[in-house]
Amino acid sequence: DTSLAEVNSFSPSVPISPSSMINQYKFEDGPELRDLFITVDDPESHITAIETFITYRVVTKTTRGEFDSSEYEVRRRYQDFLWLKSKLEEAHPTLIIPPLPEKFIMKGMVERFSDEFIETRRKALHKFLNRIADHPTLTFNEDFKIFLTAQAWELSSHKKQGPGLLSRMGQTVRAVASSVRGAVKNRPEMFTEMNNYMETFSQKINLLDKIAHRIYKEERDYFNEMKEYGPIHTLWSASEEDIADSLKGIAGCIDRCCKATEKRMAGLSEHLLPILHEYVLYSEILMGVLKRRDQIQGELDSKVDALANKKTEKDLFSEEIGKLEDKVERANNALKADWDRWKQNMQRDMRSSFTNVAENNLRYYEE
């Protein structure tokens, strides 16, 4: 893809040093003036007779007039973040909602409730809330404000005020009806291009994610072997007086390589693996958003077909079609604006992630 290849095209005027590249891109993509700052920190374990779970402190500082105070501090568990995401998807079906870490993120790499798992999740939850805060529409969502400001009992009470059973059933029936309607006949070309782009992107990002995990696993195996290999030379030097200094030197060299490999692994787990996996989740979210846009379009198409087949009730159909045309236009405009914004963020994140990995690799081989 030319569009994906552009991410890796560096201008000849860019300095050779990778650290200079990083500084340049960070400077170019500097944050705009913000009025909402959110921090997720201080994880706490809670053990009850029924379950064990972790809560995180969410601290919000703001200068916005719609908030009653300039600073809030609440505690939230993972289920609360899931609730917020579902409410955002419900309120903004054609906007790109940031992904949450899965229930068991990095499965097979870290144990649940280990310090590493909790820290990985904390970073992901912090990024999730700040991506919402930086979004021009989602940041003003009422449920988002309640999530940031309400105490635990208030949030629990608010959650119970969700849509009733009949309303949920109606949404489900409409969704099923839309999904069985078949291919959209009048989909604009740009949304077909988006679909094609996302299919290619999804394949590539999933492949990159698998390769990165394989590299990390190989590095970890190599690191574990080196940890055992160094002390062998130290023990060996005790029984070989003539070459003791050389053996100790090799042992010291292996130890330095071991430490350098450990730093390299930390760089991969911090700068590459989470970014790639986040965009694996983003690819699934975007495919869902495009399907929801198509469902709205499909609803409009079916009404237009019905109007063509029924001469009676023409005025009623015309009114419904007018409303659906407005709904499709709003959905299209929302997705188009979010699409451009998402692509810019994706390219910046990818560029930064791979440049960081290149910088870490250079340092590793120098050491």
Side-chain angles (χ1 to χ4, degrees):
D1 271 24
T2 308
S3 51
L4 288 180
E6 285 171 3
V7 178
N8 296 324
S9 58
F10 292 106
S11 163
S13 62
V14 175
I16 298 301
S17 163
S19 57
S20 299
M21 290 185 204
I22 293 169
N23 291 334
Q24 176 177 351
Y25 288 123
K26 283 183 178 172
F27 176 76
E28 286 175 354
D29 299 320
E32 298 173 2
L33 291 172
R34 294 174 61 188
D35 55 7
L36 185 63
F37 297 88
I38 304 168
T39 306
V40 178
D41 61 11
D42 190 27
E44 276 185 11
S45 295
H46 300 264
I47 301 172
T48 68
I50 303 172
E51 60 179 341
T52 300
F53 60 93
I54 307 291
T55 63
Y56 299 84
R57 181 174 66 173
V58 178
V59 177
T60 304
K61 295 182 181 180
T62 183
T63 56
R64 290 186 187 172
E66 65 265 28
F67 286 84
D68 296 330
S69 176
S70 60
E71 187 169 341
Y72 295 88
E73 181 179 316
V74 295
R75 296 203 72 85
R76 297 287 181 254
R77 56 183 295 184
Y78 181 77
Q79 297 296 337
D80 299 326
F81 287 86
L82 274 179
W83 169 83
L84 173 61
K85 185 172 183 290
S86 69
K87 295 299 285 185
L88 292 173
E89 287 172 344
E90 182 185 310
H92 309 281
T94 54
L95 289 181
I96 302 167
I97 311 300
L100 268 175
E102 295 136 311
K103 187 103 177 146
F104 301 104
I105 192 169
M106 297 172 74
K107 193 174 180 183
M109 291 183 65
V110 290
E111 293 181 12
R112 192 175 179 223
F113 298 136
S114 69
D115 291 344
E116 188 181 352
F117 173 89
I118 292 168
E119 178 58 14
T120 300
R121 172 167 283 182
R122 183 201 66 76
K123 286 179 181 177
L125 296 176
H126 176 87
K127 181 179 279 189
F128 169 73
L129 291 184
N130 278 279
R131 285 200 186 279
I132 296 170
D134 290 340
H135 193 283
T137 303
L138 301 178
T139 188
F140 296 108
N141 178 275
E142 187 62 24
D143 288 306
F144 180 48
K145 178 185 170 186
I146 289 167
F147 177 90
L148 297 177
T149 60
Q151 292 304 311
W153 66 269
E154 293 174 308
L155 182 65
S156 178
S157 174
H158 181 73
K159 283 182 182 179
K160 292 172 184 175
Q161 298 171 11
L165 177 62
L166 291 176
S167 173
R168 289 200 298 274
M169 285 175 64
Q171 290 168 7
T172 304
V173 169
R174 284 198 299 274
V176 171
S178 299
S179 64
V180 300
R181 213 171 264 133
V184 178
K185 290 185 289 187
N186 301 313
R187 180 200 284 157
E189 180 63 27
M190 73 169 297
F191 295 109
T192 300
E193 290 174 4
M194 281 186 194
N195 268 293
N196 295 338
Y197 181 97
M198 284 314 303
E199 285 176 7
T200 304
F201 179 82
S202 180
Q203 291 170 2
K204 290 184 176 182
I205 201 70
N206 274 281
L207 182 60
L208 282 169
D209 187 51
K210 287 176 184 174
I211 291 170
H213 276 83
R214 192 170 72 223
I215 289 170
Y216 183 86
K217 182 180 181 300
E218 289 173 358
E219 287 286 315
R220 187 178 57 191
D221 293 344
Y222 176 56
F223 170 73
N224 289 334
E225 286 184 18
M226 274 202 297
K227 276 204 302 187
E228 297 176 5
Y229 192 48
I232 288 171
H233 286 76
T234 305
L235 292 170
W236 188 8
S237 68
S239 59
E240 296 280 359
E241 291 183 10
D242 294 343
I243 55 171
D245 291 341
S246 297
L247 291 171
K248 286 177 182 176
I250 292 172
C253 177
I254 292 171
D255 184 57
R256 287 193 296 276
C257 287
C258 199
K259 288 175 181 174
T261 302
E262 190 172 22
K263 280 196 286 186
R264 190 187 192 195
M265 286 165 56
L268 285 171
S269 65
E270 186 173 342
H271 298 300
L272 184 64
L273 296 180
I275 297 296
L276 290 178
H277 196 67
E278 181 183 18
Y279 279 95
V280 167
L281 299 177
Y282 256 129
S283 69
E284 296 169 6
I285 287 167
L286 269 148
M287 294 302 278
V289 169
L290 288 164
K291 279 182 183 175
R292 288 195 289 275
R293 194 222 70 87
D294 282 355
Q295 285 172 357
I296 297 170
Q297 179 86 55
E299 200 174 343
L300 173 61
D301 291 346
S302 70
K303 290 291 182 187
V304 171
D305 290 344
L307 179 60
N309 295 331
K310 288 187 178 182
K311 300 299 180 185
T312 56
E313 304 174 359
K314 190 170 182 180
D315 292 341
L316 179 62
F317 270 108
S318 297
E319 185 181 343
E320 287 185 25
I321 286 170
K323 290 178 181 177
L324 282 169
E325 284 174 342
D326 290 341
K327 190 176 180 182
V328 169
E329 187 176 356
R330 286 197 302 272
N332 289 352
N333 291 337
L335 181 50
K336 278 190 284 190
D338 236 17
W339 173 259
D340 292 337
R341 188 175 175 278
W342 176 81
K343 275 184 75 174
Q344 287 175 3
N345 285 341
M346 179 270 289
Q347 291 179 351
R348 183 185 64 225
D349 287 345
M350 290 293 164
R351 186 168 58 211
S352 173
S353 179
F354 282 108
T355 308
N356 271 320
V357 170
E359 175 81 355
N360 285 337
N361 284 348
L362 280 172
R363 279 197 294 266
Y364 170 77
Y365 286 113
E366 282 171 357
E367 286 178 42

